[in-house]
Amino acid sequence: MGLQHRHFDALIIGAGGAGLNAALRLASANHRVAVVSKVFPTRSHTVAAQGGVNAALANVLPDNWHWHMFDTVKGSDYLGDQDAIETMCREAIPTVYELEHAGVPFSRLDNGKIYQRAFGGMSQNFGGEQAARTCAAADRTGHAILHTLYQQNIRARTHFFDEVFAVDLLRDDAGVVLGALVLDIATGEPLVIESKTTLLATGGYGQVFRTTTNAFINTGDGMAMALRAGVPVQDMEFYQFHPTGVAGKGMLITEGARGEGGYLINAQGERFMERYAPNALDLASRDVVARAIVTEIREGRGCGPHQDHVLLKLDHLGADVVHHRLPGIVDICRVFQGIDPAKQPIQVFPTAHYAMGGIPTDRAARVVAPVHKGPEEAVPGLYAAGECACVSVHGANRLGGNSLLDILVFGRAAGQDIERYLSENPHHRPLPQHTLDPILARLERWDRHGEGEPVHVVKADLRKLMEDHCGVFRDHDTMAKGVEKLRTLRERIEHARLQDHSQIFNTARIEALELDNLVDVGMATLACALAREESRGAHSRIDFPERDDVHWMQHSLFWREGDRVEAKPVRTKPLTVESFPPKARVY
Amino acid sequence: MSSQTEADRRRLRWQCRRGMLELDLLFSTFIDQLDAPLSAAEHADLLHLLGCQDQQLHDWLIGGNEPEEPRLRALVARILAAQSGATASSDA
């Protein structure tokens, strides 16, 4: 039986903010647009983004995009590409107005303008007073944006393939991307979507770590598809961890809890931050607090029967303060730990939150890789935007309020450049049958019957391995051992088997394909982290505690073939303004 | 008929994949802990609940705001009880 083929101008994989913003632009211009999403689109992880969108609208305090750019370059620990950062900070302003016109219910000031709140890392006048730059729709900005974009896409007649899993990219011998092979989860039937352009907008991969804030869907699918198609991923060592997640679960306990006077203790009841940060104590920077927690646990001072967490104490603050100022934390603790944090301490462990790295793109969201002529040649027909991409605006660390901005600006940029590409490439290219063969072989591999390890066991081991060997505690020996263990684990997957081979809603098969993806992005993360012998932004090494601009002011590129890591220059030259040269990052 | 029920169960499990980790954990714990298959009415109620928006579900399941519809209210209580049982047993 032959495979069914469908044809589109643009195939968008992932239905979060980046994908839907690109889709809306293209569908509104009457292009044939397909959006493939493994879950119903409004259940994409964008829905969980509460913070807001940074844009220098100057509605509350003086502001301009150049100050926003300074903060972002500094926040990136000077690893962000300054042309992309300039683009993002300039385009933030029209992007927010465009969303406002599309119907996003931003919170308002009394004068009717969009309300903007202050957020960490945001300054006026290049490092001066606190800025107010973050536009929000109450505490549900991501939800409001996602629903607005979805409704607008329905109106624009975007074709949604809901509950359809993208398996792999189709790439011809000339390297042109021709769409993707996808799997209808409901029927188990593969489908070939041939498309003149393809946008990867699949989000992050927090599920590679045992403790994460990310939803179950965040399994790095787009990044792994790119890797298998011979495209490298960039800066995967830069992964943002929050020091205080709910132990064993992952949800965030915001810094606000420590801001109100909460503090951390180990199994001996000792306030251990006194040893790691005698002045800032529990309000030291995120990486310092996170590493302190893991060090306590590694040295045997963790709490609980498995000594695998520490405690965050709030009970001394009084029930009034805890219940009135930290209601979200009270809710989370009640539901997931069965405690009232005003009476009992919270069990916490660092939680994986956000990937700065991803598929390398230029500021038009075109996927770029070194092929023949230079470090940034466009892969024809392929685009990436959002957390799965690395444009790179976040560099070594991301500022709050810049992630929703990233997905919106570069989703929009992808839409714009796809329009240009379509005008220059109006016809479908022929799809050679042999491009499908390795993808179908991978699907068939998971259909093999017989004895073998179950997928969930291998997945749990992978997540533990990544947390232990590439979490917040990083040194050469720990990570080298991690790479070795991950190579062994990768072998185990060859022998893993599904118990269920049915076609209808076989979610076990989807979880197996996700495991393939997690292993690829896990190896990329470990290999890049092992290679980078310095501490910069979110990547901090015990054995190389300083930033080293002489040797490491460069991006990392990881190729799946041979688990190879190479360097790529940082674009330090903005478009219209002077470069911000590296300085010590002090707040 | 039994294969239909099995397919329904698997479909339900995929509907439990949400945009938020909190909801993923609550729904997957509930489904994993069911010791008997859901009745047709329970199945319909759960499908109805899973059809709600993530923010609404978050308000009900984590924010402590109860749904007005009694059947959904009962289901929300069961999901929370399953989580609370799981938390208690992991502490033991």
Short mmCIF file of all heavy atoms in Angstrom, two decimals, chain A residues 174-222:
data_model
loop_
_atom_site.label_atom_id
_atom_site.label_comp_id
_atom_site.label_asym_id
_atom_site.label_seq_id
_atom_site.Cartn_x
_atom_site.Cartn_y
_atom_site.Cartn_z
N ALA A 174 20.38 17.31 -2.94
CA ALA A 174 20.97 18.65 -3.00
C ALA A 174 20.90 19.36 -1.65
O ALA A 174 21.34 20.50 -1.51
CB ALA A 174 20.25 19.48 -4.07
N GLY A 175 20.32 18.69 -0.65
CA GLY A 175 20.24 19.27 0.69
C GLY A 175 19.00 20.13 0.92
O GLY A 175 18.85 20.74 1.97
N VAL A 176 18.09 20.15 -0.08
CA VAL A 176 16.87 20.96 0.07
C VAL A 176 15.86 20.19 0.93
O VAL A 176 15.65 18.99 0.73
CB VAL A 176 16.25 21.28 -1.31
CG1 VAL A 176 15.02 22.17 -1.16
CG2 VAL A 176 17.29 21.94 -2.20
N VAL A 177 15.24 20.88 1.88
CA VAL A 177 14.24 20.24 2.73
C VAL A 177 12.88 20.29 2.02
O VAL A 177 12.45 21.36 1.56
CB VAL A 177 14.19 20.90 4.12
CG1 VAL A 177 13.03 20.36 4.95
CG2 VAL A 177 15.51 20.64 4.84
N LEU A 178 12.23 19.15 1.93
CA LEU A 178 11.02 19.02 1.10
C LEU A 178 9.78 18.70 1.93
O LEU A 178 8.77 18.27 1.38
CB LEU A 178 11.23 17.91 0.07
CG LEU A 178 12.46 18.03 -0.83
CD1 LEU A 178 12.62 16.79 -1.70
CD2 LEU A 178 12.36 19.26 -1.71
N GLY A 179 9.85 18.87 3.24
CA GLY A 179 8.70 18.55 4.09
C GLY A 179 9.08 17.54 5.15
O GLY A 179 10.24 17.48 5.57
N ALA A 180 8.10 16.74 5.56
CA ALA A 180 8.36 15.78 6.63
C ALA A 180 7.46 14.57 6.50
O ALA A 180 6.37 14.64 5.91
CB ALA A 180 8.14 16.43 7.99
N LEU A 181 7.93 13.47 7.06
CA LEU A 181 7.06 12.31 7.22
C LEU A 181 6.46 12.39 8.62
O LEU A 181 7.19 12.61 9.59
CB LEU A 181 7.83 11.01 7.05
CG LEU A 181 6.92 9.78 7.09
CD1 LEU A 181 7.17 8.89 5.87
CD2 LEU A 181 7.12 8.96 8.36
N VAL A 182 5.14 12.27 8.68
CA VAL A 182 4.46 12.41 9.97
C VAL A 182 3.62 11.16 10.22
O VAL A 182 3.39 10.37 9.30
CB VAL A 182 3.57 13.68 9.98
CG1 VAL A 182 4.39 14.92 9.69
CG2 VAL A 182 2.40 13.56 9.02
N LEU A 183 3.18 11.02 11.47
CA LEU A 183 2.41 9.85 11.87
C LEU A 183 1.12 10.32 12.52
O LEU A 183 1.17 11.10 13.47
CB LEU A 183 3.25 9.07 12.89
CG LEU A 183 2.96 7.63 13.17
CD1 LEU A 183 3.13 6.78 11.93
CD2 LEU A 183 3.91 7.14 14.28
N ASP A 184 0.00 9.86 11.99
CA ASP A 184 -1.29 10.20 12.60
C ASP A 184 -1.45 9.33 13.85
O ASP A 184 -1.54 8.10 13.74
CB ASP A 184 -2.41 9.93 11.59
CG ASP A 184 -3.76 10.36 12.11
OD1 ASP A 184 -3.91 10.45 13.36
OD2 ASP A 184 -4.67 10.59 11.30
N ILE A 185 -1.47 9.96 15.00
CA ILE A 185 -1.48 9.18 16.25
C ILE A 185 -2.76 8.35 16.36
O ILE A 185 -2.75 7.22 16.83
CB ILE A 185 -1.30 10.11 17.48
CG1 ILE A 185 0.03 10.87 17.36
CG2 ILE A 185 -1.34 9.32 18.78
CD1 ILE A 185 0.23 11.93 18.42
N ALA A 186 -3.88 8.91 15.89
CA ALA A 186 -5.16 8.21 16.01
C ALA A 186 -5.19 6.92 15.19
O ALA A 186 -5.75 5.92 15.65
CB ALA A 186 -6.30 9.13 15.58
N THR A 187 -4.60 6.92 14.01
CA THR A 187 -4.70 5.74 13.14
C THR A 187 -3.40 4.95 13.06
O THR A 187 -3.40 3.82 12.59
CB THR A 187 -5.06 6.16 11.70
OG1 THR A 187 -3.99 6.97 11.20
CG2 THR A 187 -6.37 6.94 11.66
N GLY A 188 -2.30 5.57 13.46
CA GLY A 188 -1.00 4.92 13.32
C GLY A 188 -0.47 4.96 11.89
O GLY A 188 0.56 4.36 11.59
N GLU A 189 -1.17 5.67 11.00
CA GLU A 189 -0.76 5.72 9.59
C GLU A 189 0.27 6.80 9.35
O GLU A 189 0.06 7.96 9.75
CB GLU A 189 -1.98 6.04 8.70
CG GLU A 189 -2.98 4.91 8.58
CD GLU A 189 -2.41 3.70 7.86
OE1 GLU A 189 -1.57 3.89 6.96
OE2 GLU A 189 -2.79 2.57 8.22
N PRO A 190 1.38 6.46 8.66
CA PRO A 190 2.30 7.53 8.25
C PRO A 190 1.72 8.32 7.08
O PRO A 190 0.92 7.81 6.31
CB PRO A 190 3.57 6.77 7.83
CG PRO A 190 3.20 5.35 7.71
CD PRO A 190 1.84 5.13 8.28
N LEU A 191 2.15 9.56 6.97
CA LEU A 191 1.67 10.45 5.92
C LEU A 191 2.87 11.30 5.49
O LEU A 191 3.66 11.73 6.32
CB LEU A 191 0.57 11.35 6.50
CG LEU A 191 0.12 12.57 5.70
CD1 LEU A 191 -0.66 12.13 4.46
CD2 LEU A 191 -0.78 13.47 6.56
N VAL A 192 3.00 11.50 4.17
CA VAL A 192 4.09 12.35 3.68
C VAL A 192 3.52 13.74 3.41
O VAL A 192 2.58 13.89 2.64
CB VAL A 192 4.68 11.77 2.37
CG1 VAL A 192 5.77 12.70 1.84
CG2 VAL A 192 5.25 10.37 2.63
N ILE A 193 4.06 14.73 4.11
CA ILE A 193 3.65 16.11 3.83
C ILE A 193 4.78 16.76 3.03
O ILE A 193 5.85 17.04 3.57
CB ILE A 193 3.36 16.89 5.12
CG1 ILE A 193 2.21 16.21 5.89
CG2 ILE A 193 2.99 18.34 4.78
CD1 ILE A 193 1.73 16.95 7.12
N GLU A 194 4.52 16.94 1.73
CA GLU A 194 5.51 17.61 0.88
C GLU A 194 5.24 19.10 0.95
O GLU A 194 4.11 19.54 0.79
CB GLU A 194 5.39 17.12 -0.56
CG GLU A 194 5.81 15.67 -0.72
CD GLU A 194 5.89 15.27 -2.19
OE1 GLU A 194 6.48 16.01 -2.99
OE2 GLU A 194 5.32 14.21 -2.52
N SER A 195 6.30 19.85 1.22
CA SER A 195 6.10 21.28 1.38
C SER A 195 7.30 22.03 0.82
O SER A 195 8.44 21.56 0.92
CB SER A 195 5.91 21.61 2.87
OG SER A 195 5.66 22.97 3.03
N LYS A 196 7.02 23.20 0.23
CA LYS A 196 8.11 24.00 -0.34
C LYS A 196 9.00 24.56 0.77
O LYS A 196 10.18 24.81 0.55
CB LYS A 196 7.52 25.14 -1.17
CG LYS A 196 6.72 24.66 -2.38
CD LYS A 196 5.92 25.81 -2.97
CE LYS A 196 4.84 25.27 -3.90
NZ LYS A 196 3.83 26.29 -4.21
N THR A 197 8.41 24.78 1.92
CA THR A 197 9.18 25.27 3.08
C THR A 197 8.72 24.53 4.33
O THR A 197 7.56 24.12 4.43
CB THR A 197 8.95 26.78 3.31
OG1 THR A 197 7.55 26.99 3.44
CG2 THR A 197 9.49 27.62 2.17
N THR A 198 9.63 24.40 5.30
CA THR A 198 9.29 23.72 6.56
C THR A 198 9.85 24.56 7.71
O THR A 198 11.02 24.95 7.69
CB THR A 198 9.92 22.32 6.60
OG1 THR A 198 9.44 21.57 5.48
CG2 THR A 198 9.56 21.58 7.88
N LEU A 199 9.01 24.82 8.70
CA LEU A 199 9.44 25.56 9.90
C LEU A 199 9.38 24.62 11.11
O LEU A 199 8.32 24.06 11.40
CB LEU A 199 8.53 26.77 10.15
CG LEU A 199 8.68 27.49 11.50
CD1 LEU A 199 10.06 28.13 11.64
CD2 LEU A 199 7.59 28.55 11.68
N LEU A 200 10.51 24.45 11.77
CA LEU A 200 10.53 23.69 13.03
C LEU A 200 10.23 24.66 14.17
O LEU A 200 10.93 25.66 14.34
CB LEU A 200 11.89 23.03 13.23
CG LEU A 200 12.26 21.96 12.20
CD1 LEU A 200 13.73 21.57 12.32
CD2 LEU A 200 11.37 20.73 12.35
N ALA A 201 9.19 24.39 14.91
CA ALA A 201 8.79 25.26 16.03
C ALA A 201 8.28 24.38 17.16
O ALA A 201 7.16 24.51 17.63
CB ALA A 201 7.73 26.26 15.57
N THR A 202 9.13 23.43 17.55
CA THR A 202 8.69 22.35 18.44
C THR A 202 9.00 22.59 19.91
O THR A 202 8.72 21.71 20.73
CB THR A 202 9.36 21.03 18.01
OG1 THR A 202 10.78 21.26 17.98
CG2 THR A 202 8.91 20.60 16.64
N GLY A 203 9.59 23.76 20.24
CA GLY A 203 9.81 24.06 21.65
C GLY A 203 11.04 23.38 22.24
O GLY A 203 11.94 22.94 21.52
N GLY A 204 11.04 23.29 23.56
CA GLY A 204 12.24 22.88 24.29
C GLY A 204 12.33 21.37 24.53
O GLY A 204 11.59 20.58 23.95
N TYR A 205 13.26 21.02 25.43
CA TYR A 205 13.50 19.58 25.67
C TYR A 205 13.76 19.28 27.14
O TYR A 205 14.53 18.38 27.47
CB TYR A 205 14.64 19.09 24.78
CG TYR A 205 16.03 19.66 25.06
CD1 TYR A 205 16.96 18.97 25.84
CD2 TYR A 205 16.41 20.88 24.54
CE1 TYR A 205 18.23 19.46 26.08
CE2 TYR A 205 17.68 21.40 24.78
CZ TYR A 205 18.59 20.68 25.55
OH TYR A 205 19.85 21.19 25.79
N GLY A 206 13.07 20.01 28.02
CA GLY A 206 13.29 19.83 29.46
C GLY A 206 13.08 18.41 29.94
O GLY A 206 13.65 18.00 30.96
N GLN A 207 12.31 17.62 29.18
CA GLN A 207 12.05 16.24 29.61
C GLN A 207 13.29 15.35 29.58
O GLN A 207 13.24 14.21 30.04
CB GLN A 207 10.94 15.63 28.75
CG GLN A 207 9.54 16.12 29.14
CD GLN A 207 9.11 15.62 30.50
OE1 GLN A 207 9.35 14.48 30.87
NE2 GLN A 207 8.47 16.48 31.27
N VAL A 208 14.40 15.88 29.06
CA VAL A 208 15.63 15.08 29.10
C VAL A 208 16.20 15.03 30.52
O VAL A 208 17.02 14.17 30.83
CB VAL A 208 16.67 15.61 28.09
CG1 VAL A 208 17.49 16.76 28.66
CG2 VAL A 208 17.59 14.50 27.61
N PHE A 209 15.75 15.94 31.38
CA PHE A 209 16.20 15.95 32.77
C PHE A 209 15.10 15.39 33.68
O PHE A 209 13.92 15.59 33.42
CB PHE A 209 16.54 17.38 33.21
CG PHE A 209 17.68 17.99 32.44
CD1 PHE A 209 17.44 18.92 31.43
CD2 PHE A 209 18.99 17.63 32.71
CE1 PHE A 209 18.49 19.48 30.71
CE2 PHE A 209 20.05 18.18 32.00
CZ PHE A 209 19.80 19.11 31.00
N ARG A 210 15.52 14.74 34.74
CA ARG A 210 14.55 14.11 35.65
C ARG A 210 13.64 15.15 36.29
O ARG A 210 12.43 14.97 36.39
CB ARG A 210 15.29 13.32 36.73
CG ARG A 210 14.40 12.46 37.60
CD ARG A 210 15.23 11.76 38.67
NE ARG A 210 15.79 12.73 39.60
CZ ARG A 210 15.63 12.69 40.92
NH1 ARG A 210 14.93 11.73 41.47
NH2 ARG A 210 16.18 13.60 41.69
N THR A 211 14.24 16.26 36.76
CA THR A 211 13.43 17.30 37.39
C THR A 211 13.37 18.49 36.45
O THR A 211 14.38 19.11 36.14
CB THR A 211 14.08 17.73 38.73
OG1 THR A 211 14.35 16.56 39.50
CG2 THR A 211 13.16 18.65 39.51
N THR A 212 12.17 18.80 35.97
CA THR A 212 12.02 19.88 35.00
C THR A 212 10.68 20.58 35.20
O THR A 212 9.72 19.96 35.68
CB THR A 212 12.13 19.35 33.56
OG1 THR A 212 11.90 20.43 32.64
CG2 THR A 212 11.11 18.26 33.26
N THR A 213 10.63 21.83 34.79
CA THR A 213 9.36 22.57 34.79
C THR A 213 8.58 22.29 33.51
O THR A 213 7.44 22.70 33.39
CB THR A 213 9.61 24.09 34.85
OG1 THR A 213 10.30 24.48 33.66
CG2 THR A 213 10.41 24.49 36.06
N ASN A 214 9.23 21.67 32.53
CA ASN A 214 8.62 21.49 31.21
C ASN A 214 7.53 20.42 31.23
O ASN A 214 7.64 19.41 31.94
CB ASN A 214 9.67 21.07 30.18
CG ASN A 214 10.58 22.20 29.73
OD1 ASN A 214 11.25 22.09 28.70
ND2 ASN A 214 10.62 23.30 30.45
N ALA A 215 6.52 20.62 30.38
CA ALA A 215 5.46 19.64 30.22
C ALA A 215 5.99 18.36 29.56
O ALA A 215 7.09 18.36 29.00
CB ALA A 215 4.33 20.24 29.38
N PHE A 216 5.19 17.29 29.63
CA PHE A 216 5.62 15.99 29.07
C PHE A 216 5.93 16.09 27.57
O PHE A 216 6.68 15.28 27.03
CB PHE A 216 4.52 14.94 29.27
CG PHE A 216 4.32 14.47 30.69
CD1 PHE A 216 5.04 15.03 31.75
CD2 PHE A 216 3.42 13.44 30.97
CE1 PHE A 216 4.85 14.59 33.05
CE2 PHE A 216 3.22 12.99 32.28
CZ PHE A 216 3.93 13.57 33.31
N ILE A 217 5.29 17.05 26.88
CA ILE A 217 5.47 17.14 25.42
C ILE A 217 6.82 17.69 25.01
O ILE A 217 7.20 17.58 23.84
CB ILE A 217 4.39 18.04 24.77
CG1 ILE A 217 4.27 19.38 25.49
CG2 ILE A 217 3.05 17.34 24.71
CD1 ILE A 217 3.26 20.34 24.90
N ASN A 218 7.59 18.28 25.95
CA ASN A 218 8.82 18.97 25.57
C ASN A 218 9.99 18.00 25.47
O ASN A 218 10.80 17.87 26.39
CB ASN A 218 9.13 20.10 26.56
CG ASN A 218 8.04 21.15 26.53
OD1 ASN A 218 7.30 21.33 27.48
ND2 ASN A 218 7.91 21.82 25.41
N THR A 219 10.06 17.32 24.32
CA THR A 219 11.03 16.24 24.17
C THR A 219 12.05 16.51 23.04
O THR A 219 12.66 15.57 22.52
CB THR A 219 10.31 14.89 23.92
OG1 THR A 219 9.37 15.08 22.85
CG2 THR A 219 9.56 14.43 25.15
N GLY A 220 12.20 17.78 22.66
CA GLY A 220 13.26 18.12 21.70
C GLY A 220 13.07 17.53 20.31
O GLY A 220 14.04 17.27 19.60
N ASP A 221 11.81 17.34 19.90
CA ASP A 221 11.54 16.64 18.63
C ASP A 221 12.18 17.35 17.43
O ASP A 221 12.82 16.71 16.59
CB ASP A 221 10.03 16.50 18.40
CG ASP A 221 9.34 15.74 19.53
OD1 ASP A 221 10.03 15.03 20.28
OD2 ASP A 221 8.10 15.86 19.66
N GLY A 222 12.01 18.67 17.35
CA GLY A 222 12.52 19.40 16.19
C GLY A 222 14.03 19.39 16.13
O GLY A 222 14.64 19.23 15.06
#
